[in-house]
């Protein structure tokens, strides 16, 4: 097995990117070299997403594309990791016959053994879910590698069973990682120069390590250093408690940004979605956040055209968007997922063109709202963590403020990883433009 190389391609959510860093660590420890690109690798591992059908179709297309490389390099083996592997199991290797192995999210420790088998010409599948695996002892290889910002996975799995969602089936039961290992990872990152960590879980508010809560964990991680920014994703509105809001408010280095997926503005639809909150509850949580932190940005996820959604339900979603005034939203068309409650008991009865039109209306409204919100920022000053050169011009740097908004400014002597003060002078719906006022540290 001298000098075998692997290349990992990652699709989907931040959790998948964090998992690919765990996989990289497991395979490097087992003696594999991480190839800089797919063209040089003996194994291409594709870490996949199953949340919507179009995510799966994109991955299948990529897998089929790789056939050309395989005919040039017959030793090349392809494996599927993550949610699609878990959902489809060995059936995926039947449907995509150039795939040699599948490994679900809780099977990554088995990868060295699996790759050995596959190198001997066998096929392999590992898709058992675990109730305890958190990969807590594995130090991820930082692939994002800007050296400034890193993900820390704090819990795995989800058992909320939102009726549209495949995640409880692909990622298994909720389990929380021991807080000491999380704080140790954050400390090590800070000591090696990182300035920002994002604590990740499917539903971070239900983090619970023998009674130790997410709010307590946030306070501990924030105490690593006032110079370390702490972010988190994702919160479920039903569990967003005042304790977390208070902890955020009392730690300036916990970023002023909450991602609070609403999914729909209609109580009838929310009930069908099994979300366990009402619009009134949701608005109360928004009010609580704004009372404690008036400058906190709020972002969301929404689904257009869920089963039985009427025009009136859709209007309620638009109303809610106007009322909350989100800074950013991830907006999706409902995609029926096999095995979910919605697939088994509800009817995917909103025609595709209606879904598309509703989605477009939400996108257009959200574009206006984001622009209005950004216009209100013009003239304000923000502390910005510099990330690097802007895409437009090497003479400009970009970074983010605590609210997670991107600011672009003329760079002068600023360096990535520095905190600087920037005054906003102009904006688009997506970006704030500003001028550098001072370099802090
Ligand atoms: N169809 C469309 N969007 C979905 N999401 C989850 N499941 C589906 C589905 N079946 C969205 C939700 C969730 C985000 C991660 O993806 O908005 O918050
Ligand atoms: Fe899916 Fe709901 Fe769990 Fe989020 S909370 S991962 S939407 S089941």
């Amino acid at each position: 097995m001298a000098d075998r190389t692997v290349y990992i391609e990652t699709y989907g959510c931040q959790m998948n990117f964090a998992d690919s860093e765990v996989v990289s660590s497991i395979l490097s420890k087992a003696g594999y070299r991480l190839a800089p690109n797919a063209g040089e690798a003996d194994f291409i591992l594709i870490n996949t997403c199953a949340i919507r059908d179009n995510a799966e179709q994109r991955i299948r297309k990529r897998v089929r594309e790789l056939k050309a490389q395989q005919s040039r390099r017959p030793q090349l083996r392809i494996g599927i990791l993550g949610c699609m592997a878990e959902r489809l199991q060995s059936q995926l290797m039947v449907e995509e016959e150039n795939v040699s192995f599948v490994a679900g999210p809780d099977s990554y420790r088995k990868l060295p053994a699996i790759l050995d088998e596959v190198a001997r010409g066998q096929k392999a599948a590992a898709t058992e879910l675990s109730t305890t695996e958190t990969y807590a002892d594995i130090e991820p290889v930082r692939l994002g590698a800007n050296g400034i910002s890193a993900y820390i996975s704090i819990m795995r799995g989800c058992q909320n069973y939102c009726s549209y969602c495949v995640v409880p089936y692909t990622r298994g039961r909720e389990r929380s990682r021991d807080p000491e290992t999380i704080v140790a990872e954050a400390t090590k990152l800070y000591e090696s120069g990182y300035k920002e960590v994002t604590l990740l879980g499917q539903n971070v508010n239900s983090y619970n390590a023998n009674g130790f809560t997410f709010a307590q964990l946030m306070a501990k991680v924030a105490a690593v250093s006032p110079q370390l920014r702490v972010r988190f994703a994702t919160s479920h509105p039903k569990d967003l408690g005042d304790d977390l809001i208070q902890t955020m408010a009392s730690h300036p280095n916990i970023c002023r940004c909450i991602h609070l997926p609403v999914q729909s503005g209609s109580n009838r639809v929310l009930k069908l979605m099994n979300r366990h909150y009402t619009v009134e509850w949701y608005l109360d949580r928004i009010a609580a956040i704004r009372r404690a932190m008036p400058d906190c940005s709020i972002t969301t996820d929404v689904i257009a055209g869920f089963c039985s959604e009427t025009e009136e339900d859709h209007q309620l979603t638009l109303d809610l968007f106007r009322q909350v005034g989100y800074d950013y939203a991830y907006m999706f068309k409902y995609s029926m997922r096999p095995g979910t409650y919605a697939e088994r008991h509800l009817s995917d009865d909103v025609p595709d063109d209606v879904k598309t039109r509703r989605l477009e209306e939400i996108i257009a409204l959200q574009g206006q709202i984001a622009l209005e919100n950004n216009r209100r920022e013009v003239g304000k000053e923000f502390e910005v963590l510099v990330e690097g050169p802007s895409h437009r011009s090497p003479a400009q740097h970009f970074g983010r403020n605590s609210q997670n908004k991107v600011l672009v400014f003329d760079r002068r002597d600023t360096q990535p990883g520095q905190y600087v003060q920037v005054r906003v002078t102009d904006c688009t719906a997506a970006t704030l433009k500003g001028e550098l006022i001072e370099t802090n540290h």
Side-chain angles (χ1 to χ4, degrees):
M1 85 140 261
D3 208 26
R4 281 196 207 141
T5 55
V6 293
Y7 182 75
I8 308 179
E9 276 180 26
T10 309
Y11 294 80
C13 64
Q14 295 165 315
M15 189 64 93
N16 264 10
F17 284 81
D19 280 1
S20 289
E21 298 185 336
V22 166
V23 170
S24 299
S25 172
I26 291 171
L27 289 175
S28 335
K29 282 233 168 70
Y32 287 84
R33 207 158 50 76
L34 301 176
N37 56 60
E40 290 175 26
D42 302 313
F43 296 88
I44 299 176
L45 277 52
I46 307 183
N47 195 357
T48 60
C49 173
I51 199 112
R52 283 169 291 276
D53 185 57
N54 58 10
E56 291 201 358
Q57 293 314 326
R58 207 173 134 220
I59 290 158
R60 283 181 188 268
K61 188 160 165 263
R62 175 66 182 144
V63 167
R64 288 168 196 168
E65 260 170 35
L66 287 171
K67 281 184 186 164
Q69 276 204 48
Q70 281 178 302
S71 56
R72 283 197 302 276
R73 303 192 292 128
Q75 83 286 5
L76 172 61
R77 298 280 179 272
I78 292 169
I80 301 289
L81 312 180
C83 288
M84 230 176 128
E86 192 62 49
R87 189 175 91 72
L88 297 163
Q89 312 206 338
S90 41
Q91 185 200 329
L92 187 55
M93 296 188 287
V94 178
E95 292 170 4
E96 307 295 339
E97 85 290 0
N98 59 326
V99 170
S100 298
F101 63 99
V102 293
D106 289 343
S107 301
Y108 296 150
R109 288 182 202 266
K110 295 191 185 134
L111 282 171
I114 291 176
L115 265 55
D116 279 345
E117 263 180 64
V118 166
R120 289 196 299 269
Q122 287 158 338
K123 293 220 168 191
T127 51
E128 211 170 314
L129 287 170
S130 157
T131 54
T132 53
E133 179 63 273
T134 60
Y135 301 112
D137 57 316
I138 293 174
E139 191 183 330
V141 171
R142 306 289 165 187
L143 299 171
N146 65 0
I148 298 167
S149 185
Y151 294 130
I152 303 180
S153 158
I154 63 159
M155 60 186 296
R156 300 180 71 80
C158 179
Q159 57 213 41
N160 288 314
Y161 291 97
C162 299
S163 62
Y164 50 80
C165 186
V166 77
V167 169
Y169 308 93
T170 61
R171 287 190 163 268
R173 309 282 298 167
E174 244 167 51
R175 66 221 92 126
S176 298
R177 182 175 157 189
D178 170 18
E180 269 77 57
T181 69
I182 297 168
V183 175
E185 190 172 330
T187 306
K188 193 156 177 203
L189 284 165
Y190 180 67
E191 285 169 354
S192 55
Y194 281 81
K195 295 289 168 56
E196 184 174 85
V197 293
T198 302
L199 308 192
L200 291 181
Q202 237 73 42
N203 176 9
V204 291
N205 304 110
S206 46
Y207 176 88
N208 185 332
N210 299 318
F212 198 80
T213 66
F214 182 60
Q216 289 169 322
L217 177 69
M218 286 295 281
K220 276 245 181 198
V221 176
V224 167
S225 166
Q227 295 299 309
L228 182 70
R229 281 184 171 182
V230 187
R231 301 188 184 276
F232 60 97
T234 292
S235 298
H236 193 306
K238 78 178 162 64
D239 304 315
L240 184 80
D242 292 334
D243 58 341
L244 178 61
I245 296 175
Q246 284 320 316
T247 303
M248 288 180 75
S250 57
H251 292 85
N253 60 324
I254 301 183
C255 289
R256 289 336 189 210
C257 176
I258 300 189
H259 185 60
L260 206 58
V262 69
Q263 315 298 2
S264 169
S266 155
N267 283 337
R268 191 187 67 82
V269 173
L270 287 172
K271 199 161 173 44
L272 283 177
M273 288 177 160
N274 196 32
R275 291 290 289 176
H276 295 284
Y277 56 82
T278 60
V279 169
E280 292 71 26
W281 165 272
Y282 185 90
L283 289 172
D284 171 76
R285 295 293 75 206
I286 300 289
I289 294 165
R290 295 212 160 124
R291 264 197 310 277
M293 295 171 286
D295 62 342
C296 191
S297 72
I298 297 176
T299 62
T300 202
D301 294 346
V302 69
I303 298 176
F306 185 62
C307 307
S308 85
E309 185 189 76
T310 63
E311 219 42 52
E312 198 184 349
D313 294 320
H314 169 60
Q315 289 302 327
L316 289 169
T317 297
L318 295 174
D319 287 347
L320 182 76
F321 266 59
R322 285 186 201 100
Q323 239 176 310
V324 177
Y326 293 110
D327 293 286
Y328 190 82
Y330 296 91
M331 298 161 278
F332 310 106
K333 267 202 285 192
Y334 172 59
S335 166
M336 187 271 282
R337 305 315 289 137
T340 57
Y341 180 93
E343 185 256 341
R344 285 178 286 124
H345 302 288
L346 305 173
S347 158
D348 181 13
D349 54 1
V350 178
D352 192 61
D353 58 332
V354 176
K355 284 182 187 171
T356 303
R357 195 249 309 146
R358 289 181 188 166
L359 177 64
E360 281 168 359
E361 285 176 13
I362 302 173
I363 292 172
L365 173 63
Q366 179 51 36
Q368 285 170 21
I369 292 170
L371 182 61
E372 281 163 26
N373 287 356
N374 279 353
R375 282 196 179 131
R376 277 197 291 275
E377 311 290 35
V378 174
K380 290 186 195 164
E381 283 177 27
F382 291 103
E383 185 179 66
V384 171
L385 175 59
V386 182
E387 290 182 34
S390 85
H391 305 300
R392 286 259 174 83
S393 153
Q396 292 186 320
H397 264 155
F398 83 99
R400 282 164 209 272
N401 63 9
S402 173
Q403 289 75 5
N404 209 26
K405 290 195 178 173
V406 172
L407 282 97
V408 179
F409 55 91
D410 289 342
R411 60 183 287 184
R412 288 196 275 181
D413 61 349
T414 47
Q415 296 300 325
Q418 257 180 347
Y419 288 106
V420 297
Q421 270 325 103
V422 176
R423 183 186 297 115
V424 180
T425 53
D426 197 3
C427 71
T428 65
T431 315
L432 301 175
K433 294 171 194 163
E435 58 190 9
L436 190 65
I437 299 172
E438 59 180 303
T439 303
N440 297 0
H441 27 74

